[in-house]
Amino acid sequence: MSEPCTNSSQEAIARLREFGYAFNEAGELRKIDVASGKPGDLPYEFKISDNPATNQEHYEQLANQIPDIVYELLEKNGLKRTYIPIGEPIERSTFVFTQPQPLAQSKKLLVLIHGSGYVLAGQWARRLIINNSLEHGTQLPYIQRAQKLGYDILVTNTNDTTRIINGKRTPIKGLDNSMSHAAYVWEHIIMPSQPESVAIVAHSFGGSVCKALAEKFTKFFKEKVFAIALTDGTVGHAPASCQKYFLDVTCNWVSSTEPLDTDLTHGDKEKNLTCVSAGHPEHEWTSSAAIESVFKFLELKHQKYLKTKQS
């Protein structure tokens, strides 16, 4: 089930303007210039009061406008919503984004899994969206690069787990946490679409989600998932049920002051997850900083996968 973009994004943009901010053409959040009514040169200012609670509340209210703006950008880039659980009323559902919609026998499918907290579909880091740019904090650069390389795409939404029903915040049926959301998407959308091959990029807690998926759907992973790229992923040890496979297809780009791709693996690579520097010391920046290296890794793994299938 899908529907066109609603006017929620326009409402969010209007709300941002009420806060005195707007995104400029470069995707940077800037204070609105009073004279021109357009985004000026001044960036977002967190401190508006001597009261820390007031500053944080202002930040949260402004940040709450980001999801709908990002959703519209996903739709402008060709992705569409699929509501889940399948068959439930929209007001009691969450959604993921895919291209095409529905997915069907993808030659290469890229699955994007964000981290925990407040980020929703299409976001890597809310702080970067607000303080730097949409380019740095959203998944759009990954989506656009994947499109150029011929991937179909699925964008998860694992933190969107509740709805307001009759004035009460209520868990979405069967999708009340990140793990159940991801498992449902895998079982009811990805696997039935019968993709030929699958790659995953997961940030932060998305690494734990990915590990849980590999444990739950081990046979599918071994047959179809040719690469798992983590950006500062919290994964710990490889799943016992598929340790050798998981270590072979996975690399974790971790926050570090070392140059991009510097090997930071602890111990024997046959027993430990391959870790390399993301080229940036801050956790939130790892996805943006490592994008070139991540896609090089995905393409090399796909070539290896095809050779193995042909032999």
Side-chain angles (χ1 to χ4, degrees), residues 23-37:
F23 285 101
N24 62 20
E25 292 184 0
E28 301 163 328
L29 189 67
R30 293 290 183 263
K31 285 187 177 182
I32 295 171
D33 179 73
V34 176
S36 68

Side-chain angles (χ1 to χ4, degrees), residues 148-203:
K148 290 179 181 179
L149 292 171
Y151 286 87
D152 289 348
I153 300 161
L154 185 145
V155 176
T156 60
N157 202 10
T158 58
N159 293 328
D160 190 29
T161 58
T162 63
R163 286 293 179 268
I164 303 297
I165 307 295
N166 297 324
K168 181 181 179 182
R169 185 164 295 280
T170 305
I172 295 173
K173 182 180 177 181
L175 304 175
D176 58 351
N177 60 62
S178 297
M179 297 296 189
S180 60
H181 170 104
Y184 185 96
V185 169
W186 212 267
E187 187 170 2
H188 294 274
I189 298 178
I190 294 175
M191 291 173 65
S193 74
Q194 299 180 321
E196 290 186 15
S197 64
V198 180
I200 301 171
V201 178
H203 175 60

Side-chain angles (χ1 to χ4, degrees), residues 233-252:
T234 57
V235 66
H237 298 292
S241 62
C242 53
Q243 182 183 40
K244 185 177 185 303
Y245 154 79
F246 195 87
L247 293 177
D248 182 57
V249 301
T250 306
C251 183
N252 193 8

Side-chain angles (χ1 to χ4, degrees), residues 13-47:
I13 289 170
R15 183 75 174 125
L16 274 186
R17 294 190 70 88
E18 291 176 10
F19 283 101
Y21 290 92
F23 285 101
N24 62 20
E25 292 184 0
E28 301 163 328
L29 189 67
R30 293 290 183 263
K31 285 187 177 182
I32 295 171
D33 179 73
V34 176
S36 68
K38 297 180 180 180
D41 297 325
L42 297 177
Y44 174 72
E45 184 178 3
F46 179 80
K47 186 177 180 180

Side-chain angles (χ1 to χ4, degrees), residues 253-256 258-261 264 276-280 285-287 289-290:
W253 280 261
V254 299
S255 50
S256 172
E258 296 294 329
L260 179 65
D261 286 336
L264 299 175
V276 298
S277 172
H280 201 285
W285 279 91
T286 51
S287 299

Side-chain angles (χ1 to χ4, degrees), residues 12-271:
I13 289 170
R15 183 75 174 125
L16 274 186
R17 294 190 70 88
E18 291 176 10
F19 283 101
Y21 290 92
F23 285 101
N24 62 20
E25 292 184 0
E28 301 163 328
L29 189 67
R30 293 290 183 263
K31 285 187 177 182
I32 295 171
D33 179 73
V34 176
S36 68
K38 297 180 180 180
D41 297 325
L42 297 177
Y44 174 72
E45 184 178 3
F46 179 80
K47 186 177 180 180
I48 62 168
S49 167
D50 290 331
N51 186 335
T54 299
N55 296 330
Q56 187 62 36
E57 182 181 359
H58 176 263
Y59 174 84
E60 296 297 341
Q61 290 180 356
L62 181 143
N64 286 341
Q65 313 314 312
I66 299 300
D68 283 320
I69 293 171
V70 174
Y71 293 159
E72 183 180 35
L73 290 172
L74 295 179
E75 291 172 330
K76 284 182 175 179
N77 278 269
L79 284 79
K80 295 182 179 180
R81 304 183 195 206
T82 294
Y83 285 87
I84 55 176
I86 295 168
E88 288 291 311
I90 287 178
E91 62 270 16
R92 293 178 178 268
S93 304
T94 180
F95 48 86
V96 296
F97 287 88
T98 69
Q99 186 186 42
Q101 200 279 345
L103 294 173
Q105 298 178 323
S106 304
K107 295 288 185 183
K108 294 190 297 183
L109 174 64
L110 179 63
V111 179
L112 301 179
I113 306 176
H114 55 61
S116 60
Y118 295 102
V119 290
L120 294 171
Q123 301 178 49
W124 291 130
R126 190 174 67 164
R127 179 171 71 86
L128 296 189
I129 294 172
I130 292 172
N131 293 302
N132 296 89
S133 73
L134 293 164
E135 180 83 6
H136 293 107
T138 73
Q139 296 173 350
L140 288 170
Y142 277 80
I143 290 166
Q144 292 162 353
R145 181 70 59 88
Q147 289 169 331
K148 290 179 181 179
L149 292 171
Y151 286 87
D152 289 348
I153 300 161
L154 185 145
V155 176
T156 60
N157 202 10
T158 58
N159 293 328
D160 190 29
T161 58
T162 63
R163 286 293 179 268
I164 303 297
I165 307 295
N166 297 324
K168 181 181 179 182
R169 185 164 295 280
T170 305
I172 295 173
K173 182 180 177 181
L175 304 175
D176 58 351
N177 60 62
S178 297
M179 297 296 189
S180 60
H181 170 104
Y184 185 96
V185 169
W186 212 267
E187 187 170 2
H188 294 274
I189 298 178
I190 294 175
M191 291 173 65
S193 74
Q194 299 180 321
E196 290 186 15
S197 64
V198 180
I200 301 171
V201 178
H203 175 60
S204 192
F205 185 72
S208 296
V209 173
C210 185
K211 177 181 175 179
L213 290 171
E215 290 175 314
K216 187 175 181 65
F217 304 106
T218 300
K219 184 175 184 293
F220 180 91
F221 265 68
K222 286 183 174 180
E223 291 177 356
K224 303 281 190 177
V225 180
F226 64 86
I228 300 171
L230 308 177
T231 56
D232 236 359
T234 57
V235 66
H237 298 292
S241 62
C242 53
Q243 182 183 40
K244 185 177 185 303
Y245 154 79
F246 195 87
L247 293 177
D248 182 57
V249 301
T250 306
C251 183
N252 193 8
W253 280 261
V254 299
S255 50
S256 172
T257 56
E258 296 294 329
L260 179 65
D261 286 336
T262 301
D263 190 353
L264 299 175
T265 305
H266 296 290
D268 188 349
K269 287 189 178 182
E270 292 186 2
K271 297 180 180 179

